[in-house]
Amino acid sequence: MRGVRWALAALLWSLAPALPAAPPNALHADPSPYLALHGDDPVRWRHWGPEVLESARAGQRLIFISSGYFACHWCHVMQRESYRDPAIAALLNRHFIPVKIDRELEPALDAYLIRFVRRTRGSAGWPLNVFLTSEGYPLLGLTYAEPQRLRRLLEGLAGRWREQSGALSRRARLAAAELSERAGAETAGTAAPGEVPDARRLRRALLAMALREGDDLEGGFGEQTRFPMAPQLGVLIRLLASEPDPDLAALLELTLEQMAGLGLRDHIGGGFFRYTIDPGWRVPHFEKMLYSQALLSRLYLEAAGRFRREDFRRLAAETLDFTLREFAGRGGGFISSLSAIDAEGGEGGGYLWREEQLGALLAAPEWDFARRRWGLGGDAPLDGGYLPLDLESAGVFAPALGLSAEEAAELEQRLKRRLLEGRRPRAHPRDEKQLAAWNALHLSALVAGARAFPSAPYRTAAARLRDYLVREHWDGERLHRAMSRGRSLGRAGLEDYAYLARALYDWAELSGRQEDRVLARRLAQRAWALFFDARAGGWREAERPLVPGMGRQGVLRDAPMPSPAAVLIGLSRELGGELARYADRALALGQAEVLSQPLWYASHAEVLLGADAPR
């Protein structure tokens, strides 16, 4: 009987009159390169905004939000397989309000939806697809789905919403309330303003968790994918100064060597990929992000001093040089990313080599050298061919090839130039939009580079970047999240204010410009006013809730980028005055959470440790 009822419901639903026609695809020629990619989809995509919720409530329709970014490989796959499929597009257009967001322009909304999917499904990522009720509460979320599965889901959910919208809405409201309570629980057991946990206890907890989660064979943390985790690694490197531990030092040095030598780094063209999909650091996801270059160049500079490694120091300079060359944007700013797919749609295609491509570029002795130096021989480990790795130093095997060390070094550079030129036609597309937060991270990296390499062009680049950020992203009252094609895009969030205030302060310390100290203080003041609830306690990642249920959080964890709350707290303690009092109040929140999982809140833990010292 149940099957008969479902069949009858499906028949009636198919015969029901169509809902009012949705507006045409709004993303055509959008200034966001990612959204513009979807401008010719048959899905009638809409931009996110208050009018989406108004339309959903008026029509009692589910909202379908799809979040992704330009450099994301699986975002492109899902577009090709599903969002350009006329049948799937018809389902989305008829029964849902389809919304496409660029996660880099809507980081607060994306972060909220990521937390929902992670807590309801155990993991999350991009493409991120979430169904919201007509009131705006998350109902169901998923990441990549192959077309048949997505089609079944759309058909089933449309039918269930027609028959059970009231029950589903109540379930979504209760789930949102539960998630909000979990976030609020982070503030439980908060200390009095100015009170901090015992520093020795916190340092030992951080050390113990790092060693427990660390992989002493492959480096890194966890058991599956390998992210650089630059915020955590930086904190742990600095922890060694007060908590010397040979096991931690060995784990960190191994991790840095693996990141530098294997598949996380582009050994021909330079720069780091975002992460690797395997625990051995060999198979990357091929997107290159501006924030990765900024954070890792600073990390390797710091590691060079801690471990007395000149190779780490060279790598930091090479990464900064790569970013100046390949990420240069307009007006002194820097673009967001290089796509994971090449111009032909192949994942990593511009970085991989097939035997016929190598044979056309290299003579037999040269190819023999490349096999030993970068692993360009034997069975190709990836479908697209060989990915160069830093396997064996040329100086080690040079005698076996009848070469002196000098000849081997010269040959290596010559082959690198030839390979780089040979892959140029397969270059990966650029996301040209320029983000305030990521450019601010790069400004801090350039300042660090200028201190370490006074004769390099980093100080000049930092001055131009500072001028660009102040001229294009700050209007005297508010920050603009992004610039693209001469237009400001997106909503500036906590990370934009915190990172830029920090970067301007770093630049002022190098340049001696008092006006930048003043502006850093003003940005910090605005950040506290916009994103911190001093009375109730807790952080907002956006100025106001974008959907119902977006509540406060007591403490913000590190992600690929450092916790913007921790950055703002640390800077505010340096700036002093009323900002330091705000910082003390914020530090009192979420201490139990930080003490229980200090590695995931490493930046916050470090600020707490600094608060233990007299100001």
Side-chain angles (χ1 to χ4, degrees), residues 27 30-38 45-49 64-72 75-76 98-111 113-114 126-129 289 291 335-337 430-435 438 481-485 488-492 495-496 546:
L27 306 185
D30 195 275
S32 159
Y34 173 67
L35 297 183
L37 287 174
H38 289 270
W45 294 115
R46 296 176 63 167
H47 291 101
W48 175 254
F64 176 77
I65 295 184
S66 178
S67 176
Y69 59 103
F70 182 85
C72 168
C75 298
H76 290 274
V99 175
K100 173 61 71 173
I101 67 171
D102 182 336
R103 68 169 296 262
E104 295 166 2
L105 296 178
E106 296 282 0
L109 178 59
D110 178 80
L113 298 177
I114 279 284
W126 299 277
L128 182 73
N129 303 289
M289 320 302 289
Y291 69 78
I335 67 166
S336 300
S337 63
R430 294 156 49 99
D431 184 339
E432 300 278 352
K433 71 176 181 294
Q434 299 177 183
L435 296 166
W438 299 8
R481 168 69 176 174
M483 295 295 298
S484 181
R485 301 178 186 175
S488 62
L489 303 175
R491 303 170 179 86
E495 67 182 37
D496 298 288
L546 303 175

Side-chain angles (χ1 to χ4, degrees), residues 343-362:
E344 301 300 320
E347 184 185 11
Y351 307 113
L352 300 173
W353 294 92
R354 298 187 182 277
E355 287 195 351
E356 60 269 23
Q357 293 169 326
L358 291 168
L361 283 177
L362 306 178

Side-chain angles (χ1 to χ4, degrees), residues 440-516:
L441 290 174
H442 190 48
L443 175 55
S444 290
L446 288 169
V447 169
R451 292 185 185 279
F453 306 99
S455 62
Y458 308 139
R459 181 173 180 137
T460 300
R464 294 187 70 236
L465 178 52
R466 176 268 172 207
D467 291 346
Y468 161 77
L469 283 163
V470 174
R471 181 181 68 248
E472 299 293 341
H473 289 265
W474 173 243
D475 66 9
E477 292 295 331
R478 290 180 179 270
L479 275 177
H480 301 287
R481 168 69 176 174
M483 295 295 298
S484 181
R485 301 178 186 175
R487 291 174 54 185
S488 62
L489 303 175
R491 303 170 179 86
L494 174 59
E495 67 182 37
D496 298 288
Y497 282 87
Y499 295 164
L500 183 53
R502 176 78 261 179
L504 288 172
Y505 187 81
D506 291 342
W507 169 247
E509 291 290 285
L510 177 68
S511 66
R513 289 169 56 110
Q514 182 61 24
E515 64 184 282
D516 288 316

